[in-house]
Every structure is written in structure tokens, then in C-alpha cells.
Amino acid sequence: MDSWIDFQGKVVIVTGAASGIGRAVAQEFLNDGARVVVADMVAEAPAFEGAGEENFLYVQTNVTERDSVLHMAGQAVEKFGTVDILVNNAGINIPRLLVDEKDPNGKFELDETVWDKVTAVNFKGVFLCAQAVGRFLVEKHSGVIINMSSESGLEGSEGQSVYAATKNAVNSLTRSWAKELGKHGVRVVGVAPGIMEATGLRTYAYEEALAYTRGITVDELRAGYSKSSTTPLGRSGRLSEVAATCAFLASDKASYIHGVTLNVAGGKTRG
Ligand SMILES: NC(=O)c1ccc[n+]([C@@H]2O[C@H](COP(=O)([O-])OP(=O)(O)OC[C@H]3O[C@@H](n4cnc5c(N)ncnc54)[C@H](O)[C@@H]3O)[C@@H](O)[C@H]2O)c1
């Protein structure tokens, strides 16, 4: 039976795809017949099933640096002749409290270094990649940009204010760019995962910081991941569920979906 979704001939760029959600998204597009460009900071090209010279390119990229992003987009077009879809997925999260009354000079109070790091990747990086790739899409009058948001961007999140703020800002970019690019035949949509199965983002340092900001232990934090009081479906999301959503949104099956961010969060509505 033919696949429900087919990306034969399409070229897809996925940022931050050496790990986690991005990796699952890149694998999904490869499975669906696309040629895939992975753009990530890591030095070594990640391995994917079914990837070869003819359908895969890795470009080491720092999404926070304009020259690096322009180089990546140029490499993609040089190798495959075009670009059709961008998944703006690279992101980081460093939990911090606005005010740590227990330890104002401690490592878990928000400072400018953390603020600048998180906003550079999650917010500026999305802009730089969308602009570099958006130029090609506008010129060819077709294409799709998918911005990876987070459910926490809508509701805010205790201990993750700067992260949630960048994701709400990304939702706003999605809405505004949809208004700008729609008339050029380019769709812009967002995907907002909730609590997912563990990715590279969920390091011990991340869990320790998040637990601290919420006044609980790491074990208590972990116990909350699958609680139905937090996530009505009572389980963490699978990376493949976010990947499938991206494939659907990038496909012609979603040809009238534009300017919205879709929660893929098992019903969770609080950050
Ligand atoms: N994991 C979750 O529960 C969850 C929930 C909601 C949203 N998200 C979002 O999904 C996206 C992917 O997260 P993940 O959980 O898969 O994380 P991850 O840490 O597993 O993967 C992130 C990838 O981004 C890359 N990256 C980081 N900074 C970069 C930079 N400056 N330039 C290029 N690449 C860079 C990393 O090398 C890594 O490969 C992020 O935008 C994140 O905010 C994740």
C-alpha cells in the first residue's frame, strides 16, 4: 500500500536533529521519501536509517550565528537544488527562578548569561533560520516552515520563565510570518509538545534545577511526568508522535492549516 504521506522529491531541513525530537522528525521525513538536511551543532554527523549520499546531508551549524545559518542553507541548495520545508527545532532549556529568596547569589537564580543563551537559540535562532530558508521559499512561491514551540509557551511554567517566554515569542512569530508569507504561497505553523519521553534536553542538571525551582526532589519531579492530573492522557508523549505531526503539517494534507501552533501534549494545558 502506498504511504499516506509522501515527500518524494521534497527537501527538508531540520535544525537540532542530532538528538531527541529533531532526530525523530528527520527520521520520519527520511522514511517518507524526503531528502533531509540535518543542521546541528555537534561535530559528528548523526546516523539515520536509510540515509545515504543521495538523500542526506549533515551541516554542522550554530543557529545563533547568521553566517553559519546562511552557509547551511547554501549547502542544502547546492546539494539538492532547492528547499521545501524547514523545521526550526533546535532549542535549549535551563530552569531558573526569577528570585531565589533562599540563595539570591546561587546557581538557580536567573542571570543574564542564562537569559542570553536561551533566547539566542530558541528565539534568535528561529528568526535566522526562517529568514535564510524563507528567501528560497518566497522565491519559489511554495514551502512550509514549522516552528517547534512548547505547551509551556502558552501557559507559562514555574522555574522555566525564560524558556516559556521564548516559546510564546515563537508562537507570535508563527502568527506574524503566516500573515507575511501566506501571500507568497508559504505556510507557517507551530508544534507545541508537552511532557515527552526523555530527550537530550532532560539531563540530570536540568532535572536538578527544575526540581529546585519547584521546591521538590528529582524523584518527585519524575513521578509527575506521567500523572493524569498533569497530563490527562496519563503518559509522556512519544517523539514519534511529534514527528508524525510535523510530517502531517508539512504535507499537502494540511494545506489550509496556517498561522497556528498545535499542542501535541496529551491534553496538558498548564506549564
Ligand atoms: N523534550 C521535551 O519534552 C520538549 C517539550 C516541548 C518542546 N520541546 C522542544 O523541542 C525541541 C527539541 O528538544 P529536545 O527535547 O529534542 O532536545 P535535545 O536536547 O534532545 O535536542 C536539541 C538539539 O538541538 C541542538 N542544538 C542546541 N543548540 C543549538 C544551536 N545553537 N545550533 C544548532 N543546534 C543546536 C543540540 O545539539 C541537540 O541536538 C526544542 O525546541 C525544545 O524546546 C521539547
Side-chain angles (χ1 to χ4, degrees):
M1 195 179 82
D2 287 343
S3 167
W4 184 68
I5 282 182
D6 185 1
F7 289 103
Q8 292 291 338
K10 300 288 184 190
V11 177
V12 186
I13 296 175
V14 189
T15 69
S19 169
I21 291 174
R23 192 176 164 72
V25 170
Q27 185 65 62
E28 171 74 41
F29 278 110
L30 279 167
N31 295 349
D32 298 335
R35 291 169 287 170
V36 172
V37 179
V38 165
D40 199 292
M41 268 177 65
V42 299
E44 204 172 313
F48 288 88
E49 272 173 43
E53 186 59 32
E54 68 298 343
N55 65 350
F56 181 78
L57 175 69
Y58 179 67
V59 188
Q60 190 180 10
T61 310
N62 184 343
V63 299
T64 70
E65 290 175 6
R66 187 165 185 270
D67 286 350
S68 177
V69 169
L70 290 175
H71 172 256
M72 178 276 292
Q75 291 285 105
V77 173
E78 192 178 313
K79 170 144 177 121
F80 293 127
T82 190
V83 179
D84 300 284
I85 295 152
L86 166 68
V87 184
N88 249 327
N89 165 80
I92 60 171
N93 187 358
I94 308 173
R96 291 290 183 268
L97 284 169
L98 177 64
V99 175
D100 184 356
E101 87 287 0
K102 285 178 284 182
D103 190 3
N105 299 313
K107 65 175 181 174
F108 296 122
E109 188 167 286
L110 187 57
D111 62 20
E112 285 180 271
T113 307
V114 167
W115 178 276
D116 290 346
K117 257 192 194 173
V118 176
T119 55
V121 182
N122 294 9
F123 190 31
K124 184 182 174 189
V126 167
F127 147 59
L128 291 175
C129 293
Q131 189 174 57
V133 176
R135 282 195 205 288
F136 291 108
L137 304 185
V138 166
E139 200 182 314
K140 66 191 271 187
H141 211 79
S142 73
V144 183
I145 296 174
I146 299 178
N147 293 326
M148 196 58 70
S149 180
S150 163
E151 183 273 329
S152 68
L154 284 176
E155 300 285 340
S157 180
E158 185 180 12
Q160 306 188 103
S161 59
V162 61
Y163 175 79
T166 60
K167 294 302 187 180
N168 203 331
V170 164
N171 297 345
S172 181
L173 294 178
T174 298
R175 288 192 294 271
S176 298
W177 291 341
K179 291 175 201 270
E180 293 180 18
L181 300 188
K183 55 173 126 4
H184 298 290
V186 178
R187 284 192 300 114
V188 186
V189 290
V191 174
I195 297 173
M196 305 304 296
E197 60 192 357
T199 65
L201 197 145
R202 198 187 290 169
T203 59
Y204 186 76
Y206 163 82
E207 290 188 310
E208 183 193 24
L210 189 58
Y212 179 89
T213 64
R214 295 180 176 183
I216 57 176
T217 65
V218 169
D219 283 343
E220 285 166 340
L221 180 76
R222 288 177 180 166
Y225 290 148
S226 309
K227 272 194 183 150
S228 55
S229 53
T230 314
T231 300
L233 284 185
R235 65 169 174 86
S236 301
R238 293 186 275 275
L239 306 188
S240 60
E241 292 172 321
V242 177
T245 305
C246 289
F248 164 67
L249 287 174
S251 77
D252 289 343
K253 309 274 185 204
S255 50
Y256 205 55
I257 301 180
H258 186 47
V260 293
T261 296
L262 195 61
N263 259 18
V264 183
K268 180 175 184 288
T269 52
R270 286 159 298 143

